[in-house]
Amino acid sequence: MAKMTREEKFQIIQEIRKLDAEGKHDEAYELRYKLPLAPHLAKALKDTVGAEELRSSKFDLSEANEAYGQNWLTV
């Protein structure tokens, strides 16, 4: 997966805000999964819910994989 630029992230955030303002909260919530989860938050979730739960989630873990290595959820 190619690294998402700051501008791409900002565009998604703008779309999320627009959908929320229109009352389309479910669509906005799903769109949030397209944003990469910050590595420190991914690590905290791993510690909280476990690696298996995080692996099976919809979260984009690309930045955590880059920061911690592809096998960070197995150690």
Coordinates of all heavy atoms in Angstrom, one line a residue:
M1 N 0.8 -1.2 0.0 CA 0.0 0.0 0.0 C 0.9 1.2 0.0 O 1.8 1.4 0.8 CB -0.9 0.0 1.2 CG -1.7 1.3 1.4 SD -2.8 1.2 2.9 CE -4.2 0.6 2.1
A2 N 0.6 2.2 -0.9 CA 1.4 3.4 -1.0 C 1.1 4.3 0.2 O -0.1 4.3 0.7 CB 1.1 4.1 -2.3
K3 N 2.1 5.0 0.7 CA 1.9 5.9 1.8 C 0.9 7.0 1.5 O 1.1 7.6 0.4 CB 3.2 6.4 2.3 CG 3.1 7.2 3.6 CD 4.4 7.5 4.2 CE 4.2 8.3 5.5 NZ 5.4 8.3 6.3
M4 N 0.0 7.3 2.3 CA -1.0 8.3 2.0 C -0.4 9.7 2.3 O 0.2 9.9 3.4 CB -2.3 8.1 2.9 CG -3.4 8.9 2.6 SD -4.9 8.6 3.6 CE -5.4 7.0 2.9
T5 N -0.6 10.6 1.4 CA 0.0 12.0 1.7 C -0.9 12.7 2.7 O -2.1 12.3 2.9 CB 0.0 12.8 0.3 OG1 -1.3 13.0 -0.1 CG2 0.8 12.1 -0.7
R6 N -0.3 13.8 3.2 CA -1.1 14.6 4.1 C -2.3 15.2 3.5 O -3.4 15.3 4.1 CB -0.2 15.7 4.6 CG -0.7 16.6 5.7 CD 0.2 17.5 6.2 NE -0.4 18.3 7.3 CZ 0.2 19.1 8.1 NH1 1.5 19.2 8.0 NH2 -0.4 19.7 9.0
E7 N -2.2 15.5 2.2 CA -3.3 16.1 1.5 C -4.4 15.1 1.3 O -5.6 15.4 1.4 CB -2.9 16.6 0.1 CG -2.0 17.9 0.1 CD -0.5 17.6 0.6 OE1 -0.1 16.4 0.4 OE2 0.1 18.5 1.0
E8 N -4.1 13.8 1.0 CA -5.1 12.8 0.9 C -5.8 12.5 2.2 O -7.0 12.4 2.2 CB -4.4 11.5 0.4 CG -3.9 11.5 -1.0 CD -3.0 10.3 -1.4 OE1 -2.3 9.9 -0.5 OE2 -3.2 9.9 -2.5
K9 N -5.0 12.6 3.3 CA -5.7 12.4 4.6 C -6.6 13.6 4.9 O -7.7 13.4 5.4 CB -4.6 12.4 5.7 CG -3.7 11.1 5.7 CD -2.7 11.2 6.7 CE -1.7 10.1 6.6 NZ -0.6 10.2 7.6
F10 N -6.2 14.8 4.5 CA -7.0 15.9 4.7 C -8.3 15.9 3.9 O -9.4 16.2 4.4 CB -6.3 17.2 4.4 CG -7.0 18.5 4.7 CD1 -7.3 18.8 6.1 CD2 -7.4 19.3 3.7 CE1 -8.0 20.0 6.3 CE2 -8.1 20.5 4.0 CZ -8.4 20.8 5.3
Q11 N -8.2 15.4 2.7 CA -9.4 15.2 1.9 C -10.4 14.2 2.5 O -11.6 14.5 2.5 CB -9.1 14.7 0.5 CG -8.4 15.8 -0.4 CD -7.9 15.3 -1.7 OE1 -7.8 14.1 -1.9 NE2 -7.6 16.2 -2.6
I12 N -9.9 13.2 3.1 CA -10.8 12.2 3.7 C -11.4 12.8 4.9 O -12.6 12.6 5.2 CB -10.0 10.9 4.1 CG1 -9.6 10.2 2.8 CG2 -10.8 10.0 5.0 CD1 -8.7 9.0 3.0
I13 N -10.6 13.5 5.7 CA -11.2 14.2 6.9 C -12.3 15.2 6.5 O -13.3 15.3 7.2 CB -10.1 14.9 7.7 CG1 -9.2 13.8 8.3 CG2 -10.6 15.8 8.8 CD1 -7.9 14.4 8.9
Q14 N -12.1 15.9 5.4 CA -13.1 16.9 5.0 C -14.4 16.1 4.6 O -15.5 16.6 4.9 CB -12.6 17.7 3.8 CG -11.6 18.8 4.1 CD -11.2 19.5 2.9 OE1 -10.7 19.0 1.9 NE2 -11.2 20.9 3.0
E15 N -14.2 15.0 3.9 CA -15.4 14.2 3.5 C -16.1 13.7 4.8 O -17.3 13.6 4.8 CB -15.0 13.1 2.6 CG -16.1 12.2 2.1 CD -17.1 13.0 1.2 OE1 -16.8 14.1 0.6 OE2 -18.2 12.5 1.0
I16 N -15.4 13.2 5.7 CA -16.0 12.7 7.0 C -16.8 13.8 7.7 O -17.9 13.6 8.1 CB -14.9 12.2 7.9 CG1 -14.2 10.9 7.4 CG2 -15.4 12.0 9.4 CD1 -13.0 10.5 8.1
R17 N -16.2 15.0 7.7 CA -16.9 16.1 8.4 C -18.2 16.5 7.6 O -19.2 16.8 8.2 CB -16.0 17.4 8.4 CG -14.9 17.2 9.5 CD -13.9 18.3 9.4 NE -14.6 19.6 9.5 CZ -14.6 20.4 10.6 NH1 -13.9 20.1 11.6 NH2 -15.2 21.5 10.6
K18 N -18.1 16.4 6.3 CA -19.3 16.7 5.4 C -20.4 15.7 5.7 O -21.5 16.0 5.8 CB -18.8 16.7 3.9 CG -20.0 16.9 3.0 CD -19.4 16.9 1.5 CE -20.5 16.8 0.5 NZ -20.6 15.5 -0.1
L19 N -20.0 14.4 5.7 CA -21.0 13.4 5.9 C -21.6 13.5 7.3 O -22.8 13.3 7.4 CB -20.3 12.0 5.7 CG -19.9 11.6 4.3 CD1 -19.0 10.4 4.3 CD2 -21.2 11.4 3.4
D20 N -20.8 13.8 8.3 CA -21.3 14.0 9.6 C -22.3 15.1 9.7 O -23.4 15.0 10.3 CB -20.2 14.2 10.6 CG -19.7 12.9 11.3 OD1 -20.5 11.9 11.3 OD2 -18.5 12.9 11.6
A21 N -22.0 16.2 9.0 CA -22.8 17.4 9.0 C -24.2 17.1 8.3 O -25.2 17.7 8.6 CB -22.1 18.6 8.3
E22 N -24.1 16.2 7.3 CA -25.3 15.8 6.6 C -26.1 14.7 7.3 O -27.1 14.2 6.8 CB -25.0 15.3 5.2 CG -24.4 16.3 4.3 CD -23.8 15.7 3.0 OE1 -23.8 14.5 2.8 OE2 -23.4 16.6 2.1
G23 N -25.6 14.3 8.5 CA -26.3 13.3 9.3 C -26.0 11.9 8.8 O -26.7 10.9 9.3
K24 N -25.1 11.7 7.9 CA -24.7 10.4 7.4 C -23.6 9.8 8.3 O -22.5 9.5 7.8 CB -24.3 10.5 6.0 CG -25.4 11.0 5.0 CD -24.9 11.2 3.6 CE -26.0 11.8 2.8 NZ -25.5 12.0 1.4
H25 N -23.9 9.5 9.5 CA -22.9 9.2 10.5 C -22.3 7.8 10.2 O -21.1 7.6 10.5 CB -23.5 9.2 11.9 CG -24.0 10.6 12.2 ND1 -23.2 11.7 12.3 CD2 -25.3 11.0 12.5 CE1 -24.0 12.8 12.6 NE2 -25.2 12.4 12.7
D26 N -23.1 6.8 9.8 CA -22.6 5.5 9.5 C -21.6 5.6 8.3 O -20.5 4.9 8.4 CB -23.7 4.5 9.1 CG -24.6 4.2 10.3 OD1 -24.2 4.4 11.4 OD2 -25.7 3.7 10.0
E27 N -21.9 6.3 7.3 CA -20.9 6.5 6.2 C -19.6 7.2 6.7 O -18.5 6.8 6.3 CB -21.5 7.3 5.1 CG -22.6 6.5 4.3 CD -23.2 7.4 3.2 OE1 -22.5 8.0 2.4 OE2 -24.5 7.5 3.2
A28 N -19.8 8.2 7.5 CA -18.6 8.9 8.0 C -17.8 8.0 8.9 O -16.5 8.0 8.8 CB -19.1 10.1 8.8
Y29 N -18.4 7.1 9.7 CA -17.7 6.2 10.5 C -16.9 5.2 9.7 O -15.7 4.9 10.0 CB -18.7 5.5 11.4 CG -18.1 4.7 12.5 CD1 -17.6 5.3 13.7 CD2 -17.9 3.3 12.4 CE1 -17.0 4.5 14.7 CE2 -17.3 2.5 13.4 CZ -16.9 3.2 14.5 OH -16.3 2.4 15.5
E30 N -17.5 4.7 8.7 CA -16.8 3.7 7.8 C -15.6 4.4 7.1 O -14.6 3.7 6.9 CB -17.8 3.1 6.8 CG -18.7 2.1 7.4 CD -18.0 0.9 8.0 OE1 -17.1 0.3 7.4 OE2 -18.3 0.5 9.1
L31 N -15.8 5.6 6.7 CA -14.7 6.3 6.0 C -13.5 6.5 6.8 O -12.4 6.5 6.4 CB -15.3 7.7 5.4 CG -14.4 8.4 4.4 CD1 -14.0 7.6 3.2 CD2 -15.1 9.7 4.0
R32 N -13.7 6.6 8.1 CA -12.6 6.8 9.1 C -11.6 5.6 9.0 O -10.4 5.8 9.3 CB -13.1 6.9 10.5 CG -13.7 8.2 10.8 CD -14.3 8.3 12.2 NE -14.8 9.6 12.5 CZ -16.0 10.1 12.3 NH1 -16.9 9.3 11.7 NH2 -16.3 11.3 12.6
Y33 N -12.1 4.5 8.6 CA -11.2 3.3 8.5 C -10.1 3.5 7.3 O -9.2 2.7 7.3 CB -11.9 2.0 8.3 CG -12.7 1.6 9.5 CD1 -14.1 1.5 9.5 CD2 -12.0 1.3 10.7 CE1 -14.7 1.1 10.7 CE2 -12.6 0.9 11.8 CZ -14.0 0.8 11.8 OH -14.7 0.4 13.0
K34 N -10.4 4.4 6.4 CA -9.4 4.6 5.3 C -8.2 5.4 5.8 O -7.2 5.4 5.2 CB -10.1 5.4 4.2 CG -11.1 4.5 3.4 CD -11.5 5.2 2.1 CE -12.3 4.3 1.3 NZ -12.6 4.9 0.0
L35 N -8.3 6.1 6.9 CA -7.2 6.8 7.5 C -6.3 5.9 8.2 O -6.7 5.1 9.1 CB -7.7 7.9 8.4 CG -8.5 9.1 7.8 CD1 -9.1 9.9 8.9 CD2 -7.6 9.9 6.9
P36 N -5.0 6.0 8.0 CA -4.1 5.1 8.7 C -4.1 5.4 10.2 O -4.1 6.6 10.6 CB -2.7 5.4 8.1 CG -3.0 6.1 6.8 CD -4.3 6.8 6.9
L37 N -4.1 4.4 11.0 CA -4.1 4.6 12.4 C -2.7 4.9 12.9 O -1.7 4.2 12.4 CB -4.6 3.3 13.1 CG -4.8 3.3 14.6 CD1 -5.9 4.3 14.9 CD2 -5.2 1.9 15.1
A38 N -2.5 5.9 13.7 CA -1.2 6.3 14.1 C -0.5 5.2 14.8 O -1.2 4.4 15.6 CB -1.3 7.5 15.0
P39 N 0.8 5.0 14.6 CA 1.5 3.8 15.2 C 1.3 3.7 16.7 O 1.1 2.6 17.2 CB 2.9 4.0 14.8 CG 2.8 4.8 13.5 CD 1.6 5.7 13.7
H40 N 1.4 4.8 17.4 CA 1.3 4.8 18.9 C -0.1 4.3 19.3 O -0.3 3.6 20.3 CB 1.7 6.1 19.5 CG 0.8 7.2 19.3 ND1 0.7 7.9 18.1 CD2 -0.2 7.7 20.1 CE1 -0.2 8.9 18.3 NE2 -0.8 8.8 19.4
L41 N -1.1 4.7 18.5 CA -2.5 4.3 18.9 C -2.7 2.8 18.5 O -3.4 2.1 19.3 CB -3.5 5.1 18.1 CG -3.6 6.6 18.5 CD1 -4.5 7.3 17.6 CD2 -3.9 6.8 19.9
A42 N -2.1 2.3 17.4 CA -2.2 0.9 17.1 C -1.5 0.1 18.2 O -2.0 -1.0 18.5 CB -1.5 0.7 15.7
K43 N -0.4 0.5 18.7 CA 0.3 -0.2 19.7 C -0.5 -0.3 21.0 O -0.6 -1.3 21.6 CB 1.7 0.4 20.0 CG 2.6 -0.4 20.9 CD 4.0 0.1 20.9 CE 5.0 -0.7 21.7 NZ 4.5 -1.5 22.7
A44 N -1.1 0.9 21.3 CA -2.0 0.9 22.5 C -3.2 0.0 22.3 O -3.6 -0.7 23.3 CB -2.5 2.3 22.8
L45 N -3.8 -0.1 21.1 CA -4.9 -1.0 20.9 C -4.4 -2.5 21.0 O -5.1 -3.3 21.5 CB -5.5 -0.7 19.5 CG -6.6 0.3 19.5 CD1 -7.1 0.5 18.1 CD2 -7.8 -0.1 20.3
K46 N -3.2 -2.7 20.5 CA -2.7 -4.1 20.6 C -2.6 -4.5 22.1 O -3.0 -5.6 22.5 CB -1.3 -4.2 19.9 CG -0.7 -5.6 20.1 CD 0.8 -5.5 19.6 CE 1.5 -6.9 19.9 NZ 2.9 -6.8 19.5
D47 N -2.1 -3.6 22.9 CA -2.0 -3.9 24.3 C -3.3 -4.0 25.0 O -3.4 -4.7 26.0 CB -1.1 -2.8 25.0 CG 0.3 -2.7 24.5 OD1 0.8 -3.7 23.9 OD2 1.0 -1.7 24.7
T48 N -4.3 -3.3 24.5 CA -5.6 -3.3 25.1 C -6.5 -4.4 24.7 O -7.1 -5.1 25.5 CB -6.3 -1.9 24.8 OG1 -5.5 -0.9 25.3 CG2 -7.7 -1.8 25.5
V49 N -6.6 -4.6 23.4 CA -7.6 -5.6 22.8 C -6.9 -6.9 22.3 O -7.6 -7.9 22.1 CB -8.5 -5.0 21.7 CG1 -9.3 -3.8 22.2 CG2 -7.7 -4.7 20.5
G50 N -5.6 -6.8 22.2 CA -4.9 -8.0 21.7 C -4.6 -7.9 20.2 O -5.3 -7.3 19.4
A51 N -3.5 -8.6 19.8 CA -3.1 -8.6 18.4 C -4.1 -9.2 17.5 O -4.4 -8.7 16.4 CB -1.8 -9.4 18.3
E52 N -4.7 -10.3 17.9 CA -5.7 -11.0 17.0 C -6.9 -10.1 16.7 O -7.3 -10.0 15.5 CB -6.2 -12.3 17.6 CG -7.0 -13.1 16.7 CD -6.3 -13.5 15.4 OE1 -5.1 -13.8 15.4 OE2 -7.0 -13.4 14.3
E53 N -7.4 -9.4 17.7 CA -8.5 -8.5 17.5 C -8.2 -7.4 16.6 O -8.9 -7.0 15.7 CB -9.0 -8.0 18.9 CG -10.2 -7.1 18.8 CD -11.5 -7.8 18.6 OE1 -11.6 -9.0 18.8 OE2 -12.4 -7.2 18.1
L54 N -7.0 -6.8 16.8 CA -6.5 -5.7 15.9 C -6.3 -6.2 14.5 O -6.7 -5.5 13.6 CB -5.2 -5.1 16.5 CG -4.7 -3.9 15.9 CD1 -5.8 -2.8 15.9 CD2 -3.5 -3.4 16.6
R55 N -5.7 -7.4 14.3 CA -5.5 -7.9 13.0 C -6.8 -8.1 12.2 O -6.9 -7.9 11.0 CB -4.8 -9.3 13.1 CG -3.4 -9.3 12.6 CD -2.8 -10.7 12.4 NE -3.0 -11.6 13.5 CZ -2.2 -11.6 14.6 NH1 -1.2 -10.8 14.7 NH2 -2.5 -12.5 15.6
S56 N -7.9 -8.5 12.9 CA -9.2 -8.7 12.3 C -10.0 -7.5 12.2 O -11.1 -7.5 11.6 CB -9.9 -9.8 13.0 OG -10.3 -9.4 14.3
S57 N -9.5 -6.4 12.7 CA -10.3 -5.1 12.6 C -10.2 -4.5 11.2 O -9.4 -5.0 10.3 CB -9.8 -4.1 13.6 OG -8.5 -3.6 13.2
K58 N -10.9 -3.4 11.0 CA -10.9 -2.7 9.7 C -9.8 -1.6 9.7 O -9.7 -0.9 8.7 CB -12.3 -2.1 9.5 CG -13.4 -3.0 9.2 CD -14.7 -2.2 9.0 CE -15.9 -3.1 8.8 NZ -17.1 -2.3 8.6
F59 N -9.1 -1.4 10.8 CA -8.2 -0.3 10.9 C -7.1 -0.5 9.8 O -6.6 -1.6 9.5 CB -7.5 -0.3 12.2 CG -8.4 0.2 13.3 CD1 -8.8 -0.6 14.3 CD2 -8.9 1.5 13.3 CE1 -9.6 -0.2 15.3 CE2 -9.7 2.0 14.3 CZ -10.1 1.1 15.3
D60 N -6.7 0.6 9.2 CA -5.5 0.7 8.3 C -4.3 0.8 9.2 O -4.0 1.8 9.8 CB -5.6 1.9 7.4 CG -4.5 2.1 6.5 OD1 -3.4 1.5 6.7 OD2 -4.6 2.9 5.5
L61 N -3.5 -0.3 9.2 CA -2.3 -0.4 10.1 C -1.0 -0.2 9.3 O 0.0 -0.5 9.8 CB -2.3 -1.8 10.7 CG -3.5 -2.1 11.6 CD1 -3.5 -3.6 12.0 CD2 -3.6 -1.2 12.8
S62 N -1.1 0.4 8.1 CA 0.0 0.6 7.3 C 1.1 1.4 7.9 O 2.3 1.0 7.8 CB -0.4 1.2 5.9 OG -1.0 2.5 6.1
E63 N 0.8 2.4 8.6 CA 1.8 3.3 9.3 C 2.5 2.5 10.5 O 3.7 2.6 10.7 CB 1.3 4.6 9.7 CG 1.0 5.5 8.5 CD 0.5 6.9 8.9 OE1 0.5 7.2 10.1 OE2 0.2 7.7 8.0
A64 N 1.7 1.7 11.2 CA 2.2 0.9 12.3 C 3.1 -0.2 11.7 O 4.2 -0.4 12.3 CB 1.1 0.3 13.1
N65 N 2.7 -0.8 10.6 CA 3.6 -1.8 10.0 C 4.9 -1.2 9.6 O 5.9 -1.8 9.7 CB 2.8 -2.4 8.8 CG 1.7 -3.3 9.2 OD1 1.5 -3.7 10.4 ND2 0.8 -3.5 8.3
E66 N 4.8 0.0 9.0 CA 6.1 0.7 8.6 C 6.9 1.0 9.8 O 8.2 0.9 9.8 CB 5.7 2.0 7.8 CG 6.9 2.7 7.3 CD 6.5 3.9 6.5 OE1 5.5 3.9 5.8 OE2 7.2 5.0 6.6
A67 N 6.3 1.5 10.9 CA 7.1 1.9 12.0 C 7.7 0.8 12.8 O 8.8 0.8 13.3 CB 6.2 2.8 13.0
Y68 N 6.9 -0.3 13.0 CA 7.3 -1.4 13.8 C 7.7 -2.7 13.1 O 8.1 -3.6 13.7 CB 6.1 -1.8 14.8 CG 5.7 -0.6 15.6 CD1 4.3 -0.3 15.7 CD2 6.5 0.2 16.4 CE1 3.9 0.8 16.5 CE2 6.1 1.2 17.2 CZ 4.8 1.5 17.2 OH 4.3 2.6 18.0
G69 N 7.5 -2.7 11.8 CA 7.9 -3.9 11.0 C 6.6 -4.7 10.8 O 5.6 -4.7 11.5
Q70 N 6.6 -5.5 9.7 CA 5.4 -6.3 9.3 C 5.0 -7.3 10.4 O 3.8 -7.7 10.4 CB 5.7 -7.0 8.0 CG 5.8 -6.1 6.8 CD 4.5 -5.4 6.5 OE1 3.4 -5.9 6.6 NE2 4.5 -4.1 6.1
N71 N 5.9 -7.7 11.2 CA 5.6 -8.8 12.2 C 5.3 -8.3 13.6 O 5.2 -9.0 14.5 CB 6.8 -9.8 12.3 CG 7.0 -10.5 11.0 OD1 6.0 -10.8 10.3 ND2 8.2 -10.8 10.6
W72 N 5.0 -7.0 13.7 CA 4.9 -6.4 15.1 C 3.6 -7.0 15.8 O 3.6 -7.0 17.0 CB 4.8 -4.9 15.0 CG 3.5 -4.3 14.4 CD1 3.2 -4.2 13.1 CD2 2.4 -3.8 15.2 NE1 2.0 -3.6 13.0 CE2 1.5 -3.3 14.2 CE3 2.2 -3.6 16.5 CZ2 0.3 -2.8 14.6 CZ3 1.0 -3.0 16.9 CH2 0.0 -2.6 15.9
L73 N 2.7 -7.5 15.0 CA 1.5 -8.0 15.7 C 1.7 -9.5 16.1 O 0.9 -10.1 16.8 CB 0.3 -7.9 14.8 CG -0.3 -6.5 14.6 CD1 -1.4 -6.5 13.6 CD2 -0.9 -6.1 16.0
T74 N 2.8 -10.1 15.8 CA 3.1 -11.5 16.1 C 4.1 -11.6 17.3 O 4.2 -12.7 17.8 CB 3.6 -12.3 14.9 OG1 4.8 -11.7 14.5 CG2 2.6 -12.3 13.8
V75 N 4.7 -10.5 17.7 CA 5.6 -10.6 18.8 C 5.1 -9.9 20.0 O 4.2 -9.1 20.0 CB 7.0 -9.9 18.4 CG1 7.7 -10.8 17.4 CG2 6.8 -8.5 17.9

